[in-house]
């Protein structure tokens, strides 16, 4: 029988549940398909760098699959509806008997898969979906009342217990097909979507590079992660987020590799802090499934719908371009604009600045991040923004407002990171790097750097008033 593996954000051979299941019986013929949906990607604000990473990873995957005797077919259509129609046609033409894919958890993706699960069986195709891009299936980690956790710490505790009791396996790549037929793979024509070349030093496409980076990180860096992860000047985090977002790597591969280097990571030993970040990733995915409104531009906490956001087009542009006059915010935004990646601490600082200093709707920031980040991922991005905006579950309380200057002083004391991205501050001494205009004024210097676009203390008071008014109104 012909088995079809529909690849989406699981661009790998190893530990790929759908691919593994499709290859289980040696006598079946296995083919694979990737469908590009540029119009859908546009609606989801996928960044041109992520498109480039996918494109290059796909080429490598096609080679890898060919070595296993599996042809990767490729098609481009507009959106998910068109993809479902194409899939029906493809299955008919190739006499596919069984379709295999790994679930995606966003609302539109789930609607698409529901349509597939309704339509394909009508034409005699069995459909099998797998929970694959997570450590534990969404819906399977529940409170005593059988509900989804709304707070991270007990969720994390429950996950760790589950993982200790029953570690999910990590599947190998399938063996080469003995009866590989001369099925020609399609030529991969470039997506009809803007692509922005990625810096391959920072983000090498494909599964092999992801595995190399994972091994190196777990061997050399994970032990120092708790002490160094908050300082953007150090290269101390894994930078595996794009691999996990696009699926050149699975979270189970991360967990197994981590345990090999740090066997006590599941019992709060070394490595557990990094593992906790992988659990945050699962948490936000599980939340999307339990609360689909999160995929529809809705805040988690209903009362925050009343917040009186400001428009401020000029200040929004200054934030996007890294010209706010707050060095840590500007360096962070320029890092993201230039590379497609931003350090986690800086994502928190810049998000907080947009929402709590400029009083601009978090959804505009969320969209901007998505359109630039190489690792853009609805669950993590939405989770991060709703955390910073105090609209989410287990978010920072609204009255706790980051001071962008003191955050800079704490996490980039000497301005090592700031200097990398703001060459116009080269003459400013370390001790004044977080208040360059104060220094310039005292020393009669001219700086080619914007004045702060907002006065933090006053903005803080206004923000508190806006939140309090919304709370009273609801
Ligand atoms: P590491 O520190 O090495 O962590 C390992 C992995 O754990 C990451 O690759 C990521 O998959 C996961 N992870 C780490 N922190 C988080 C977190 N807070 N929430 C969910 N997963 C996490 N992450 C994305 O992958 N895509 C996004 O679009 C995204 N947007 C964000 C927006 C905001 C406002 C905030 C505050 C955070 C966002 N994050 C996002 C989470 C986090 O900043 C990145 O995952 C992390 O910086 C990626 O770097 P790394 O791979 O070196 O992480």
């Amino acid at each position: 029988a012909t088995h079809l593996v529909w690849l989406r954000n699981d661009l790998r051979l190893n530990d790929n549940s759908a691919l593994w299941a499709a290859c289980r019986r040696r006598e079946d013929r296995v083919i694979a398909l990737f469908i590009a949906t540029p119009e859908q990607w546009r609606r989801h604000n996928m960044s041109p760098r992520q498109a480039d990473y996918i494109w290059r990873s796909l080429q490598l995957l096609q080679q890898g699959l060919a070595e296993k005797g599996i042809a990767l077919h490729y098609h481009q259509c507009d959106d998910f509806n068109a993809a479902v129609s194409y899939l029906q046609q493809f299955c008919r033409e190739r006499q596919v008997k069984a379709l295999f894919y790994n679930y995606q958890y966003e609302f539109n993706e789930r609607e698409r898969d529901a349509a597939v699960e309704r339509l394909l069986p009508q034409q005699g195709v069995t459909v099998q979906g797998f929970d694959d891009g997570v450590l534990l299936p969404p819906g399977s980690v529940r409170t005593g009342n059988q509900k989804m956790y709304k707070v991270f710490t007990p969720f994390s505790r429950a996950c760790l217990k589950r993982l200790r009791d029953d570690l999910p396996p990590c599947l190998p790549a399938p063996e080469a097909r003995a009866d590989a037929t001369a099925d020609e793979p399609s030529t991969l024509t470039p997506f009809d979507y803007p692509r922005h070349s990625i810096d391959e030093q920072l983000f090498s496409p494909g599964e092999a590079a992801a595995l190399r980076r994972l091994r190196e990180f777990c061997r050399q860096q994970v032990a120092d992660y708790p002490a160094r992860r908050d300082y953007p000047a150090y290269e101390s985090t894994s930078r595996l987020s794009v691999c996990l977002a696009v699926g050149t790597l699975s979270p189970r591969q991360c967990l197994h590799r981590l345990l090999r280097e740090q066997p006590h990571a599941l019992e709060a030993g070394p490595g557990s802090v990094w593992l906790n970040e992988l659990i945050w990733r699962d948490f936000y995915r599980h939340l999307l499934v339990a609360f689909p409104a999160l995929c529809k531009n809705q805040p988690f906490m209903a009362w925050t719908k009343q917040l009186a956001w400001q428009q401020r087009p000029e200040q929004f542009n200054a934030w996007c371009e890294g010209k706010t006059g707050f060095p840590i915010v500007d360096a962070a935004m320029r890092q993201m604009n230039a590379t497609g990646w931003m350090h986690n601490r800086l994502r928190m600082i810049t998000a907080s600045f947009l929402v709590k200093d400029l009083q601009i709707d978090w959804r505009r920031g969320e969209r901007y991040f998505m359109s630039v980040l190489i690792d853009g991922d609805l669950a993590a991005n939405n989770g991060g923004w709703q955390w910073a905006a105090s609209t989410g579950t287990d978010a920072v309380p609204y009255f706790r407002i980051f001071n962008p200057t003191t955050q800079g002083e704490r996490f980039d004391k000497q301005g090592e990171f700031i200097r990398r991205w703001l060459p116009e501050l080269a003459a400013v001494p370390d001790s004044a790097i977080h208040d360059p205009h104060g220094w310039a004024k005292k020393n009669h210097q001219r700086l080619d750097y914007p004045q702060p676009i907002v006065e933090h203390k006053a903005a803080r008071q206004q923000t508190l008033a806006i939140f309090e008014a919304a709370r009273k109104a609801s």
Side-chain angles (χ1 to χ4, degrees):
T2 299
H3 286 182
L4 174 64
V5 186
W6 181 16
L7 295 160
R8 293 104 65 99
N9 67 344
D10 50 351
L11 304 182
R12 63 180 184 280
L13 293 167
N14 287 282
D15 195 34
N16 184 325
S17 310
L19 178 64
W20 176 259
C23 294
R24 207 168 325 162
R25 290 191 324 195
R26 298 195 64 80
E27 61 271 29
D28 295 313
R29 178 166 165 270
V30 180
I31 52 179
L33 173 67
F34 182 86
I35 308 176
T37 49
E39 186 44 44
Q40 193 78 41
W41 294 347
R42 236 165 249 135
R43 282 181 225 150
H44 293 178
N45 298 301
M46 189 211 273
S47 78
R49 281 196 187 86
Q50 189 168 96
D52 193 48
Y53 181 88
I54 293 175
W55 166 249
R56 291 174 191 228
S57 297
L58 203 56
Q59 287 173 315
L60 295 168
L61 183 62
Q62 189 172 50
Q63 288 163 20
L65 283 165
E67 285 161 20
K68 302 283 179 197
I70 300 170
L72 174 64
H73 296 271
Y74 168 80
H75 180 73
Q76 175 174 298
C77 53
D78 279 351
D79 57 11
F80 287 163
N81 285 338
V84 174
S85 305
Y86 179 74
L87 192 67
Q88 289 178 280
Q89 179 197 328
F90 185 91
C91 288
R92 223 174 280 124
E93 284 171 7
R94 311 236 166 202
Q95 284 150 18
V96 170
K97 278 279 163 272
L99 171 66
F100 299 78
Y101 54 72
N102 294 314
Y103 293 129
Q104 290 180 291
Y105 301 109
E106 300 85 351
F107 183 78
N108 293 336
E109 282 74 353
R110 276 158 49 92
E111 292 265 284
R112 172 201 61 194
D113 291 351
V116 167
E117 284 166 21
R118 202 173 52 244
L119 294 169
L120 273 286
Q122 291 172 13
Q123 58 186 74
V125 181
T126 57
V127 180
Q128 289 188 51
F130 298 84
D131 286 298
D132 180 73
V134 278
L135 291 169
L136 295 166
S140 73
V141 185
R142 290 168 179 262
T143 63
N145 294 334
Q146 296 304 311
K147 297 247 165 61
M148 169 60 193
Y149 287 94
K150 292 186 187 166
V151 179
F152 175 71
T153 306
F155 173 83
S156 168
R157 228 179 281 131
C159 281
L160 286 166
K161 182 173 182 327
R162 285 273 304 275
L163 295 170
R164 277 194 303 266
D165 289 350
D166 189 10
L167 191 69
C170 198
L171 302 163
E175 282 176 24
R177 315 296 299 163
D179 61 340
T181 47
D183 196 12
E184 276 295 304
S186 332
T187 313
L188 295 176
T189 44
F191 307 146
D192 182 16
Y193 197 78
R195 280 200 290 134
H196 190 314
S197 291
I198 50 178
D199 179 345
E200 292 214 9
Q201 295 282 85
L202 293 176
F203 306 103
S204 265
E207 169 174 20
L211 283 169
R212 258 197 316 277
R213 175 77 194 118
L214 172 65
R215 272 199 291 272
E216 185 186 278
F217 177 77
C218 288
R219 223 176 5 236
Q220 295 167 8
Q221 287 172 288
V222 84
D224 293 336
Y225 181 80
R228 292 167 64 90
R229 65 173 174 147
D230 261 326
Y231 301 93
Y234 303 146
E235 299 290 328
S236 58
T237 67
S238 70
R239 285 190 188 254
L240 287 170
S241 45
V242 61
C243 313
L244 286 160
V246 167
T248 49
L249 194 66
S250 83
R252 289 173 309 276
Q253 289 175 296
C254 295
L255 176 57
H256 280 255
R257 173 52 57 177
L258 175 67
L259 289 174
R260 195 179 288 185
E261 299 292 338
Q262 303 289 353
H264 301 295
L266 286 168
E267 294 105 37
S272 58
V273 174
W274 192 62
L275 174 57
N276 209 46
E277 298 305 320
L278 294 173
I279 298 177
W280 269 107
R281 182 179 173 279
D282 257 42
F283 181 58
Y284 287 136
R285 279 180 158 57
H286 291 216
L287 281 173
L288 286 193
V289 176
F291 306 101
L294 294 175
C295 298
K296 298 179 193 168
N297 286 312
Q298 299 298 314
F300 189 86
M301 286 197 286
W303 68 269
T304 64
K305 287 184 194 168
Q306 312 286 334
L307 288 165
W309 301 113
Q310 306 294 311
Q311 283 303 318
R312 307 210 158 118
E314 280 172 28
Q315 293 183 335
F316 181 70
N317 287 343
W319 176 82
C320 292
E321 290 170 14
K323 294 186 177 163
T324 66
F326 288 85
I328 195 72
V329 173
D330 293 343
M333 295 303 288
R334 293 194 206 176
Q335 176 186 38
M336 180 173 76
N337 290 335
T339 67
W341 186 85
M342 192 198 287
H343 186 278
N344 181 57
R345 166 62 47 185
L346 303 179
R347 294 188 204 208
M348 296 195 279
I349 296 174
T350 51
S352 173
F353 185 83
L354 186 79
V355 176
K356 306 270 178 80
D357 280 279
L358 302 181
Q359 292 126 14
I360 291 176
D361 191 334
W362 57 274
R363 285 163 283 217
R364 290 172 66 194
E366 182 194 14
R367 256 198 310 278
Y368 183 70
F369 265 34
M370 208 62 190
S371 71
V372 181
L373 283 172
I374 187 170
D375 62 21
D377 171 80
L378 192 148
N381 194 40
N382 182 271
W385 274 95
Q386 296 224 39
W387 179 88
S390 306
T391 62
T393 177
D394 205 5
V396 66
Y398 73 85
F399 47 82
R400 205 168 303 143
I401 295 181
F402 280 4
N403 176 326
T405 309
T406 50
Q407 284 286 313
E409 287 164 355
R410 253 177 89 187
F411 297 107
D412 191 34
K413 197 165 184 343
Q414 259 102 40
E416 200 181 328
F417 177 80
I418 289 172
R419 289 181 194 289
R420 264 180 232 160
W421 296 102
L422 305 181
E424 60 268 49
L425 299 185
V428 182
D430 290 357
S431 56
I433 197 78
H434 301 286
D435 177 23
H437 286 291
W439 169 84
K441 198 164 163 209
K442 227 190 276 161
N443 294 280
H444 312 290
Q445 301 280 329
R446 257 187 60 87
L447 281 179
D448 185 19
Y449 180 65
Q451 290 287 342
I453 59 170
V454 68
E455 210 269 300
H456 174 70
K457 257 196 185 152
R460 185 176 183 282
Q461 291 310 323
Q462 285 160 8
T463 302
L464 289 174
I466 289 173
F467 271 86
E468 269 145 29
R471 234 175 31 151
K472 277 195 201 117
S474 61

